[in-house]
Amino acid sequence: MNFDLSDIQQLLVENAASFVKRESPPGRVRGMRTDPVGYSPQVWKQWADFGWLGILFPEELGGTAGSFVDLALCLEQLLL
């Protein structure tokens, strides 16, 4: 079984990692602990604009028809 990332998956990881590093540094995330909203609407919108919120949805519904692996690769960057 081949566990290598495809070129598209590698690009997804690179883009998500860069975005998280730039837009969600640890200090900002810690500050959200006491924020009554609990998340940044601006960051959430950017995730939507990149299509990351629709990874698992089919294209005809506005998604990217990705896989669970694609979603996991993207979400993994939030935990690093």
Side-chain angles (χ1 to χ4, degrees):
M1 184 173 260
N2 182 0
F3 290 107
D4 292 336
L5 299 180
S6 70
D7 291 341
I8 291 174
Q9 288 172 326
Q10 186 60 44
L11 186 60
L12 175 64
V13 168
E14 291 169 7
N15 287 333
S18 174
F19 178 82
V20 168
K21 182 177 181 181
R22 185 179 63 252
E23 299 295 332
S24 294
R28 177 184 240 176
V29 173
R30 282 188 209 105
M32 285 191 280
R33 290 181 195 164
T34 58
D35 185 324
V37 175
Y39 71 98
S40 168
Q42 296 87 353
V43 171
W44 188 258
K45 182 179 180 330
Q46 289 176 303
W47 273 66
D49 291 344
F50 290 137
W52 297 338
L53 299 180
I55 287 176
L56 293 180
F57 294 98
E59 291 178 9
E60 57 269 13
L61 295 178
T64 61
S67 68
F68 281 106
V69 171
D70 299 333
L71 178 61
L73 291 170
C74 191
L75 294 176
E76 177 183 36
Q77 299 310 307
L78 292 173
L79 303 173
L80 298 178

